Amino acid sequence: MRKKISAVISHSFGEIEVLTPIFFQLKRKYNFDIYLIFTVEKIYNDFLENRFYLNTINDLGINIIYSKMINKIDYDQKLKKGLLSKIYFKIIDILFCLLFIKRTFYLFDSDYFMNETTNQYNSLKIFKKFGLNYDKNQIIYHHGHSLNGKNKNANNFCKNPQCKYLLFSRHNLDWSKNNGYENNVIIGFPKFYDDWIKYIRQFSHKYIKDNNYIVIFTRAVHPYYMDIEKYNYLIENSYNAIRLHYPNHKILIKLHPRQSISDTQALIHNKKFHNVFISFLPAGILANNAVFTISLWTGAILDSLAQRVPALEFYAEANRFREANPLGSMYKYLGIHSAKNFNEISEHISDIKNNKYSFPQVIHEFFKIEDLNIFK
């Protein structure tokens, strides 16, 4: 009998970016039926609009199910206040649960139940209640490729001591344990898997034919990770430093999955940036043909390094950043080229232009690890 994997997508589009290369490998090695269950309307719509991931998932024969549940992305939590609102949401919740059961009852005997780090309760409660051996077969993954150090604002996300946590790197172990996960299994960074890298290189030309451009990967404004004034500073100085060394190259800005496009569009317009465009292509596709990339403290820097494209981190720490990340940026901590001001980023770009850039040593470790034996 074919084994079944049921993965609930409930938190971020980054989950698709993590799971697709994992499933890409599994489909080549094992005889699995794989199901993606989307419980958030916005993420589902973003997925349908993303040609690369939609085509890849369909080509792999992965089954797609949309069954909306109450969630923090589609619904403003403030609306739940008040008696009438609570009654309304309770009715909607019951309706959504019944529809979820109708659409997924044949998955209750799945061999593996997968979901992301934060364990979104509403999206998982049906499988948790009715899934056969759910606790034993639950596998958790992080909702984005990233390097994470032990943080001060730890959360006990682990709600099931029997679950297994897919760890991308040993460097993330302190962070994982700090958030309650003890059964850690190192699988490597999926975007560094050899077959996935070859796939990206094989098909990237279908989505972007240019190779004379530079990419900026952005980070959304966040209380701990990005202050608005720092964001504007980093974008403007990225642009100025690029133009100092590459006056005419196209610049593509890839926004964070939860980031609004309007503020960045306004910044481009107000600062009169020329030959600058916002792109919605996947980070790996964009990185593959780029001259180099700049990352404003994002995991997308790993897409570039996985494709062996020069990558720089440009990050001025948010005022509260060290409250959550006492070691600072893990990318900088592990030796990935990093800058915090115009002079530093300009010097790094000059090194790239003059062929003085060298890839950080840590990526050699990332290329070596690919272990999905947990699914045997």
Side-chain angles (χ1 to χ4, degrees), residues 222-274:
H222 186 278
Y224 291 101
Y225 307 145
M226 183 66 74
D227 304 324
I228 181 63
E229 67 274 10
K230 300 280 178 63
Y231 179 78
N232 292 337
Y233 169 85
L234 292 169
I235 291 291
E236 186 173 357
N237 281 276
S238 294
Y239 174 82
N240 291 337
I242 291 169
R243 285 290 171 252
L244 181 64
H245 301 281
Y246 295 88
N248 300 311
H249 277 56
K250 182 187 294 183
I251 298 174
L252 300 178
I253 296 178
K254 169 67 175 174
L255 301 178
H256 188 271
R258 293 187 184 175
Q259 190 173 356
S260 169
I261 189 175
S262 57
D263 291 343
T264 303
Q265 282 181 324
L267 185 63
I268 293 171
H269 175 75
N270 293 337
K271 296 296 181 179
K272 296 182 171 56
F273 294 161
H274 75 274

Side-chain angles (χ1 to χ4, degrees), residues 318-352:
N319 294 333
R320 301 183 64 187
F321 184 70
R322 293 280 174 154
E323 293 181 32
N325 299 273
L327 292 177
S329 166
M330 284 293 289
Y331 304 100
K332 180 179 181 179
Y333 183 77
L334 292 175
I336 293 174
H337 299 283
S338 185
K340 62 181 181 296
N341 57 46
F342 174 83
N343 288 337
E344 290 180 1
I345 194 66
S346 178
E347 184 177 346
H348 284 313
I349 294 173
S350 176
D351 286 344
I352 291 172

Side-chain angles (χ1 to χ4, degrees), residues 153-374:
N153 299 330
N155 295 283
N156 187 16
F157 287 130
C158 182
K159 308 302 180 186
N160 170 22
Q162 296 185 64
C163 75
K164 296 179 181 65
Y165 192 83
L166 302 184
L167 204 65
F168 301 143
S169 167
R170 62 185 176 89
H171 301 291
N172 290 356
L173 184 59
D174 285 343
W175 180 90
S176 175
K177 289 186 174 181
N178 206 37
N179 285 287
Y181 293 106
E182 294 293 336
N183 299 326
N184 294 280
V185 180
I186 297 178
I187 66 166
F189 278 105
K191 65 178 59 178
F192 278 84
Y193 291 175
D194 187 56
D195 285 346
W196 180 251
I197 292 170
K198 292 176 181 176
Y199 179 77
I200 291 284
R201 290 174 179 169
Q202 181 181 357
F203 288 98
S204 63
H205 70 279
K206 288 188 175 182
Y207 300 93
I208 184 166
K209 299 186 183 301
D210 194 358
N211 61 0
N212 203 33
Y213 62 87
I214 295 154
V215 182
I216 301 174
F217 297 119
T218 68
R219 159 69 60 180
V221 172
H222 186 278
Y224 291 101
Y225 307 145
M226 183 66 74
D227 304 324
I228 181 63
E229 67 274 10
K230 300 280 178 63
Y231 179 78
N232 292 337
Y233 169 85
L234 292 169
I235 291 291
E236 186 173 357
N237 281 276
S238 294
Y239 174 82
N240 291 337
I242 291 169
R243 285 290 171 252
L244 181 64
H245 301 281
Y246 295 88
N248 300 311
H249 277 56
K250 182 187 294 183
I251 298 174
L252 300 178
I253 296 178
K254 169 67 175 174
L255 301 178
H256 188 271
R258 293 187 184 175
Q259 190 173 356
S260 169
I261 189 175
S262 57
D263 291 343
T264 303
Q265 282 181 324
L267 185 63
I268 293 171
H269 175 75
N270 293 337
K271 296 296 181 179
K272 296 182 171 56
F273 294 161
H274 75 274
N275 206 16
V276 177
F277 306 92
I278 293 175
S279 175
F280 298 96
L281 288 171
I285 295 294
L286 284 173
N288 184 62
N289 290 323
V291 177
F292 68 91
T293 70
I294 294 176
S295 166
L296 311 187
W297 194 69
T298 78
I301 195 170
L302 299 175
D303 287 273
S304 306
L305 296 174
Q307 300 293 328
R308 293 195 177 275
V309 171
L312 307 172
E313 178 176 79
F314 187 27
Y315 184 57
E317 292 184 2
N319 294 333
R320 301 183 64 187
F321 184 70
R322 293 280 174 154
E323 293 181 32
N325 299 273
L327 292 177
S329 166
M330 284 293 289
Y331 304 100
K332 180 179 181 179
Y333 183 77
L334 292 175
I336 293 174
H337 299 283
S338 185
K340 62 181 181 296
N341 57 46
F342 174 83
N343 288 337
E344 290 180 1
I345 194 66
S346 178
E347 184 177 346
H348 284 313
I349 294 173
S350 176
D351 286 344
I352 291 172
K353 187 173 184 180
N354 293 300
N355 296 317
K356 295 180 180 179
Y357 176 92
S358 59
F359 287 97
Q361 289 297 310
V362 72
I363 69 168
H364 300 301
E365 176 184 330
F366 299 159
F367 280 116
K368 290 179 181 177
I369 303 173
E370 179 186 326
D371 187 353
L372 294 175
N373 288 327
I374 188 176

